[in-house]
Amino acid sequence: MKKKLIVFAGLFFLLIIVSAMTYTWSPLPKNPSFETLAQASQNYDVEILRDNWGVPHIFGERDQDTVFGMGYVQAEDDFETVQESLAASRGVLARHRGFDAATIDYIVNLFSVWDIIKERYETDVTPEIKALAEAYAAGINLYAAEHPDQAWEGLFPITPQDLIAGGIFRTPFFYGLDGEIMPLFGDERVQEIALDPSENRVAYSPAARTLGERGSNAMAVAPKRSGDGKTRLVVNSHQPFSGPVAWYEAHLVSGEGLDIAGGTFPGSMFILHGFNRNLGWANTVNKPDLSDIYVLTRNPENDQEYLLDGEWVPFTKKTATIDVKLFGSFAFPAEREILFSKHGPVIESKHGTYAIRYAGQGEIRQFEQYYRYNKAKNLEEFKAALAMQALPSINYLYADKEGNIGFIHNGQYPDRIEGWEWRKYLPGDRSDLIWTDYKPFEEVPQIFNPASGFLYNSNNTPFSATDGPDNLKPDQFSPTMGLETHETNRSLRTRELSQSYAVIDEESLLAIKFDLKYAKNSIAAKVVNDLVAEDWSSDPVMTEAIDHLKAWDLSTDIENKHAALGVLTTLPKVTESYTRTPAPDNKTAFKNAVDLLKTNYGKLDPTWGEVNRIIRGKTDLPVDGAPDILRAIYPETIREDGKLHAFAGDTYIAIVEWDKEGELNAKVIHQFGSATKDQSSMHYDDQVPLFAEKKFRKMLMDRADIEANLERAYSPGK
């Protein structure tokens, strides 16, 4: 009898295993054949010219031909990130990468990305944008056909809908929506979706914040201030050095009017910031109040209802199935019910039920607005593109060959009722708090052609944008817009320096952009002053250290022997506002910095260049700058060996100018090079030395100049 029980138990256990394996057996479909994937490429004719820096200049007769080439070159240089971004937008990243990506697939469902595609793609995406998305997808699919060993199984073919979904999904992250909703899930340590991968972080996974901020600098100088009659624009976005929102440089040219150079992200069809023959724009991140969180009251007798205007209203429901890779061809089909209220998507957590409403909710026209920027020929056309209001946030610094300059604190500003503190959690039982529209573009904060001839933004308040009398005033705008009021060290230094120059010529403009100091009224300076005011006389080691700190001139040049102690001491407080990690008290931070330097260098005064490094492949160089310095260099963390490795900050930089005749000239630099993933390529790190020395390369715009500096010419699919 005992043996029979053992046999029966064994069979039962085996049955469970077989059932579990059957339930989770989910092999990915094979990608289509070469012929199928490559077929659409025959509809396009493009020529790609790679210059001697490996930068792609993409020439097509039609815009579609050029955008087809854009898809192909992005796949050539960073196929892994392109696939990762497209899988994330499709909501299937967990099927390829496992549990750490399940949150991102859930958010795709929470944002109803593919419901929006189903409801609005045919009606609200123009035929022109559909054709361009088809062309871009064909470029990626051709590369996948030619390199099947690199293509993720089951991901292909890429569709135009995949690209439009990326615009829906990613744009709200730029004003920090992920940072608003992630704490609602109940884990305070999970504060954002990682878009800045490293050896310690995986892209698109939930993560704590790093020391690397997504910030930016941008400046524009009108002819009357430039000293030589030229109009100048500084494009200087601060992004991660790698990953899905690291800048990729390209130049797009077509017989239909495209002729634009600048930066884009993997999975994006157009230039996201840059310049054409007639105008240019630089972006900086802004974070006005563009989202709201409502606390819902659930019916104690029926938790499928919530209170609204005195009545119990049923939630709308859908079930999301997220296939989570286990191993091999096995995946667990995790099902999650998602609720929606009149406000928007609902998040259920241990501490309550919340609904969110946010700028960009339900929007699908993001790429149309970018396309219009790329094609704009003058200020009127650029403003018409802005007035679409399809993009939820981001500042614009504008300049053109006619001498116009402008600042736009862009946003889809909810048209809210007055009298409420909209940055706080709101009661979910009042329908009058559910806004349904945005304020018109005319009410968006903006300045054009100020008296001083100079505009700037460094992620600071829109009320400080020029060094003249034309700054906007808070009382000009509704408090419901939640406009930012803070300054950054970079904005303080920009204003301080610009006011010292009656004329801001190219040399002066570069001196501002590459300034290396903390302002005298900055957070860093306050930390130092507070520490110097303390009595350290009872501790000889700390007395020596405070004397050394006191001698710091607040600069971060690579030869500076006081910057290491100064930056390491002030870093926690300087970065606290965006890491959302409470900084230790100043004394503790100071002692930690002293211990770190003594332990790793045996002294307090290593040069800043010994500590602050930019590393790419075998290239390892000192780099000046620091967090919230105009020469912005952010580490991921303070390493145990006492080093700071550049991780984010200054990346793609362009200095653009138009002379009195309207002729364009530009010089640019990328922090690494055009070969994003190919470590065997000379272009993997060939721009690092120039970048570290704050130097530039000439941007080639004319075909004759490109051909005179040609490395390779080819036509994909031909």
Side-chain angles (χ1 to χ4, degrees):
M1 184 65 180
K2 187 176 181 180
K3 289 183 178 180
K4 287 183 179 181
L5 286 173
I6 293 172
V7 171
F8 178 78
L11 290 172
F12 181 71
F13 183 66
L14 181 61
L15 179 62
I16 291 174
I17 293 175
V18 171
S19 298
M21 292 181 69
T22 302
Y23 181 68
T24 59
W25 174 251
S26 179
L28 288 163
K30 296 291 184 183
N31 286 329
S33 66
F34 174 90
E35 290 76 17
T36 300
L37 276 179
Q39 183 177 9
S41 67
Q42 299 307 304
N43 298 325
Y44 308 100
D45 190 3
V46 66
E47 184 178 19
I48 297 168
L49 307 182
R50 296 268 187 174
D51 66 23
N52 53 349
W53 292 97
V55 174
H57 304 262
I58 308 165
F59 289 82
E61 184 57 37
R62 304 170 300 164
D63 290 352
Q64 292 176 39
D65 298 320
T66 303
V67 170
F68 164 75
M70 177 72 131
Y72 190 85
V73 298
Q74 286 188 19
E76 279 189 300
D77 289 330
D78 198 358
F79 194 35
E80 188 68 12
T81 304
V82 168
Q83 293 179 96
E84 187 174 51
S85 293
L86 292 169
S89 300
R90 194 182 283 180
V92 297
L93 190 57
R95 180 62 189 85
H96 295 273
R97 217 175 60 191
F99 180 76
D100 71 317
T103 297
I104 209 73
D105 290 352
Y106 172 74
I107 291 176
V108 169
N109 282 278
L110 187 73
F111 287 2
S112 298
V113 170
W114 285 91
D115 297 307
I116 296 166
I117 292 288
K118 290 174 184 176
E119 293 168 7
R120 299 188 59 190
Y121 181 82
E122 291 302 328
T123 56
D124 292 2
V125 179
T126 66
E128 191 173 32
I129 296 300
K130 288 175 185 170
L132 291 164
E134 289 169 3
Y136 181 92
I140 296 174
N141 288 331
L142 174 61
Y143 186 85
E146 295 172 343
H147 303 83
D149 57 319
Q150 299 177 30
W152 290 13
E153 200 71 52
L155 189 62
F156 293 88
I158 300 303
T159 69
Q161 289 88 341
D162 289 325
L163 307 174
I164 302 301
I168 298 169
F169 169 61
R170 287 192 290 188
T171 48
F173 289 168
F174 277 88
Y175 63 81
L177 181 62
D178 55 326
E180 295 297 320
I181 66 174
M182 292 305 289
L184 298 180
F185 290 101
D187 187 348
E188 294 181 359
R189 294 169 298 169
V190 175
Q191 297 175 337
E192 67 175 357
I193 298 298
L195 297 177
D196 46 0
S198 70
E199 59 186 20
N200 302 314
R201 291 162 65 86
V202 179
Y204 292 114
S205 61
R209 294 172 184 267
T210 69
L211 298 177
E213 184 184 22
R214 292 197 291 274
S216 296
N217 302 322
M219 304 169 205
V221 184
K224 63 182 177 183
R225 187 75 179 274
S226 67
D228 53 11
K230 294 182 178 181
T231 306
R232 290 190 175 89
L233 176 70
V234 176
V235 181
N236 179 207
S237 168
H238 301 159
Q239 290 296 116
F241 280 10
S242 61
V245 292
W247 289 117
Y248 176 81
E249 183 185 358
H251 177 204
L252 309 182
V253 186
S254 80
E256 295 179 342
L258 277 177
D259 192 358
I260 184 165
T264 190
F265 297 148
S268 297
M269 296 183 279
F270 309 121
I271 297 300
L272 302 183
H273 74 167
F275 52 93
N276 61 33
R277 300 280 180 173
N278 303 298
L279 57 83
W281 70 96
N283 291 137
T284 69
V285 169
N286 64 355
K287 294 183 179 180
D289 183 13
L290 299 178
S291 63
D292 292 310
I293 298 174
Y294 303 84
V295 182
L296 301 183
T297 301
R298 299 181 84 154
N299 187 342
E301 297 180 3
N302 180 0
D303 66 1
Q304 296 302 297
E305 296 178 337
Y306 63 99
L307 189 64
L308 186 66
D309 294 336
E311 297 181 0
W312 295 113
V313 179
F315 290 106
T316 302
K317 296 183 288 186
K318 73 174 182 182
T319 300
T321 301
I322 299 169
D323 290 329
V324 181
K325 180 179 180 180
L326 299 174
F327 57 90
S329 294
F330 293 92
F332 179 75
E335 290 190 351
R336 179 75 179 267
E337 183 179 72
I338 300 178
L339 304 179
F340 298 87
S341 69
K342 298 288 186 183
H343 316 75
V346 171
I347 295 174
E348 301 174 89
S349 74
K350 296 175 182 178
H351 42 75
T353 302
Y354 305 91
I356 58 174
R357 194 164 188 82
Y358 58 93
Q361 190 169 332
E363 183 59 72
I364 198 172
R365 302 168 299 149
Q366 293 88 351
F367 279 115
E368 181 183 352
Q369 186 161 334
Y370 277 120
Y371 181 53
R372 290 192 185 188
Y373 292 158
N374 280 226
K375 298 276 281 191
K377 298 184 290 294
N378 52 49
L379 176 57
E380 182 181 2
E381 292 182 4
F382 192 81
K383 289 179 78 171
L386 282 165
M388 280 185 65
Q389 292 189 291
L391 297 168
S393 66
I394 300 293
N395 292 312
Y396 290 82
L397 265 288
Y398 170 92
D400 66 30
K401 70 177 185 180
E402 303 298 328
N404 296 303
I405 63 172
F407 163 71
I408 306 96
H409 194 65
N410 183 59
Q412 290 176 322
Y413 292 96
D415 192 8
R416 301 164 167 137
I417 63 173
E418 304 287 340
W420 286 82
E421 294 188 59
W422 287 90
R423 284 194 180 273
K424 294 185 176 181
Y425 286 9
L426 300 163
D429 60 354
R430 295 181 50 152
S431 63
D432 60 339
L433 299 183
I434 305 174
W435 46 267
T436 58
D437 208 349
Y438 302 115
K439 291 186 176 297
F441 176 67
E442 291 74 25
E443 295 185 28
V444 171
Q446 51 193 288
I447 303 172
F448 285 92
N449 298 322
S452 78
F454 180 65
L455 286 166
Y456 65 92
N457 185 266
S458 291
N459 313 113
N460 56 294
T461 174
F463 306 127
S464 175
T466 180
D467 58 355
D470 301 306
N471 276 309
L472 303 168
K473 304 290 193 297
D475 60 11
Q476 294 175 267
F477 303 93
S478 167
T480 67
M481 296 171 73
L483 299 176
E484 298 160 283
T485 59
H486 71 280
E487 298 285 358
T488 62
N489 176 72
R490 290 166 289 122
S491 66
L492 293 172
R493 284 295 289 168
T494 299
R495 188 177 180 87
E496 180 181 325
L497 291 167
S498 69
Q499 288 179 329
S500 71
Y501 295 118
V503 171
I504 302 180
D505 56 14
E506 182 181 13
E507 181 180 355
S508 303
L509 186 61
L510 289 174
I512 297 172
K513 189 274 147 296
F514 286 118
D515 178 66
L516 299 174
K517 284 196 170 186
Y518 286 106
K520 292 179 181 178
N521 55 338
S522 65
I523 293 172
K526 185 179 186 307
V527 171
V528 172
N529 291 337
D530 288 351
L531 286 168
V532 169
E534 295 281 347
D535 181 7
W536 300 91
S537 59
S538 63
D539 188 333
V541 172
M542 298 309 295
T543 299
E544 177 195 8
I546 202 66
D547 288 342
H548 191 70
L549 182 66
K550 186 177 181 180
W552 184 34
D553 62 359
L554 301 178
S555 186
T556 57
D557 52 289
I558 58 175
E559 298 301 330
N560 195 308
K561 290 195 171 186
H562 299 270
L565 181 58
V567 174
L568 290 171
T569 297
T570 60
L571 188 64
K573 189 65 76 173
V574 167
T575 61
E576 181 181 39
S577 65
Y578 60 85
T579 63
R580 300 186 184 179
T581 300
D585 65 83
N586 292 340
K587 280 189 170 184
T588 300
F590 181 41
K591 290 177 180 178
N592 289 344
V594 170
D595 290 344
L596 190 76
L597 291 172
K598 289 279 191 179
T599 300
N600 290 284
Y601 299 92
K603 55 185 179 180
L604 294 172
D605 63 347
T607 64
W608 183 231
E610 290 179 73
V611 177
N612 207 38
R613 312 293 295 182
I614 181 168
I615 300 173
R616 174 74 162 175
K618 296 180 180 179
T619 302
D620 183 347
L621 296 172
V623 63
D624 45 21
D628 204 20
I629 292 288
L630 279 160
R631 172 35 154 185
I633 298 293
Y634 293 86
E636 178 184 6
T637 186
I638 300 173
R639 296 166 56 91
E640 291 184 3
D641 62 3
K643 303 285 187 185
L644 304 183
H645 289 180
F647 169 76
D650 277 1
T651 47
Y652 171 81
I653 308 172
I655 310 296
V656 189
E657 65 181 31
W658 291 268
D659 64 20
K660 295 177 182 179
E661 287 72 43
E663 290 298 312
L664 169 70
N665 183 58
K667 53 187 182 182
V668 299
I669 194 64
H670 188 278
Q671 80 279 3
F672 289 153
S674 64
T676 308
K677 293 291 188 183
D678 184 4
Q679 297 190 34
S680 66
S681 169
M682 65 180 291
H683 302 308
Y684 183 70
D685 61 356
D686 59 344
Q687 295 186 53
V688 178
L690 286 178
F691 177 84
E693 294 177 15
K694 304 186 289 292
K695 295 180 179 179
F696 294 88
R697 30 168 268 270
K698 179 178 173 57
M699 181 61 206
L700 306 176
M701 296 292 289
D702 295 333
R703 183 165 182 131
D705 291 337
I706 297 165
E707 290 179 340
N709 294 274
L710 188 65
E711 180 178 276
R712 184 163 63 110
Y714 55 104
S715 295
K718 305 298 180 186

